[in-house]
Amino acid sequence: AQSVAQPEDQVNVAEGNPLTVKCTYSVSGNPYLFWYVQYPNRGLQFLLKYITGDNLVKGSYGFEAEFNKSQTSFHLKKPSALVSDSALYFCAVRKSGGSYIPTFGRGTSLIVHP
Amino acid sequence: AAGVIQSPRHLIKEKRETATLKCYPIPRHDTVYWYQQGPGQDPQFLISFYEKMQSDKGSIPDRFSAQQFSDYHSELNMSSLELGDSALYFCASSLGRAYSNQPQHFGDGTRLSIL
């Protein structure tokens, strides 16, 4: 079985400050990890993924995520938040060589204050 | 670049009616997924198709059925609609089994409201 935990329902940060949205996962074997962002009344948009290689993955809109195998985490980060980053963020995992259906976390609402 | 197209964007139905949602995947994508997202919820996987055959089945009610056609578009058919079926329904597509590390690309969804 595979699962994802996003421990924070909501993250508040001031514009210009660094942001972190947390994600931990559970999967037997090697994971494929993804971050998606969802704006109101829109579908999920792919931000970045970790498949293999460098633990620090860079994605769209200045976001990056760090894969930590020992802590089974894949936290999403951005050095300087923008008000336009305010949205719902979903972490997802699928097992390498396993089910092709990813498991999503419950989502974290990011609110960036001006 | 072409994205996943879903129609209609909004649909209002009454209880016990039927509804059909359509999804047109990104060209050359061979896998289609259907998800249901309730208010404040994460997307719940319903069903997927790979190369026009049902691939995986999630929490899809027996009242719902889906298929993928020869042009790779997919339709989700919903019957005997209930108030609890009110949700956003997303379709996603990806390059399938040979590229399982590829992300899904989502459409903007169909908002279904049951009165």
Side-chain angles (χ1 to χ4, degrees):
Chain A
Q2 55 195 37
S3 65
V4 173
Q6 292 180 244
E8 301 152 318
D9 289 336
Q10 184 172 300
V11 170
N12 290 278
V13 64
E15 187 173 31
N17 283 0
L19 69 87
T20 298
V21 183
K22 295 179 180 178
C23 170
T24 59
Y25 67 90
S26 174
V27 71
S28 58
N30 295 321
Y32 294 154
L33 293 156
F34 305 85
W35 275 103
Y36 292 85
V37 60
Q38 185 179 30
Y39 296 98
N41 297 313
R42 301 295 301 276
L44 279 68
Q45 295 177 37
F46 169 71
L47 278 178
L48 51 79
K49 67 179 180 181
Y50 171 82
I51 303 301
T52 188
D54 287 342
N55 290 341
L56 185 63
V57 179
K58 294 188 183 296
S60 306
Y61 312 120
F63 284 94
E64 58 188 29
E66 186 166 11
F67 171 64
N68 187 316
K69 187 173 184 178
S70 62
Q71 296 185 4
T72 61
S73 67
F74 190 56
H75 301 329
L76 181 70
K77 301 182 180 185
K78 187 173 182 180
S80 178
L82 299 173
V83 172
S84 57
D85 292 330
S86 298
L88 197 55
Y89 290 80
F90 289 96
C91 181
V93 67
R94 74 200 311 184
K95 176 184 172 182
S96 167
S99 168
Y100 302 96
I101 308 303
T103 298
F104 286 88
R106 294 295 300 273
T108 297
S109 177
L110 173 66
I111 299 174
V112 181
H113 302 278
Chain B
V4 176
I5 306 298
Q6 289 188 247
S7 67
R9 288 297 312 275
H10 303 274
L11 189 58
I12 299 175
K13 291 285 184 178
E14 295 191 354
K15 287 195 305 183
R16 292 180 289 277
E17 285 191 320
T18 61
T20 297
L21 280 53
K22 296 185 179 182
C23 169
Y24 296 86
I26 290 173
R28 291 184 294 280
H29 280 192
D30 51 15
T31 304
V32 167
Y33 313 77
W34 284 97
Y35 289 87
Q36 179 191 60
Q37 187 180 31
Q41 302 293 316
D42 58 303
Q44 294 294 310
F45 170 69
L46 295 177
I47 194 167
S48 68
F49 293 86
Y50 170 68
E51 284 291 345
K52 294 157 279 184
M53 299 289 290
Q54 183 180 309
S55 174
D56 291 273
K57 199 170 184 180
S59 52
I60 184 169
D62 292 340
R63 300 176 289 108
F64 295 3
S65 65
Q67 56 183 323
Q68 187 178 29
F69 295 86
S70 58
D71 64 352
Y72 292 95
H73 95 271
S74 179
E75 295 183 3
L76 178 66
N77 299 293
M78 311 161 74
S79 63
S80 303
L81 289 168
E82 302 174 355
L83 293 176
D85 296 329
S86 295
L88 266 173
Y89 289 83
F90 288 108
C91 172
S93 73
S94 71
L95 287 172
R97 293 167 181 262
Y99 304 95
S100 62
N101 61 8
Q102 293 302 304
Q104 296 168 306
H105 297 266
F106 285 77
D108 282 339
T110 294
R111 181 172 292 282
L112 176 64
S113 300
I114 310 301
L115 304 179

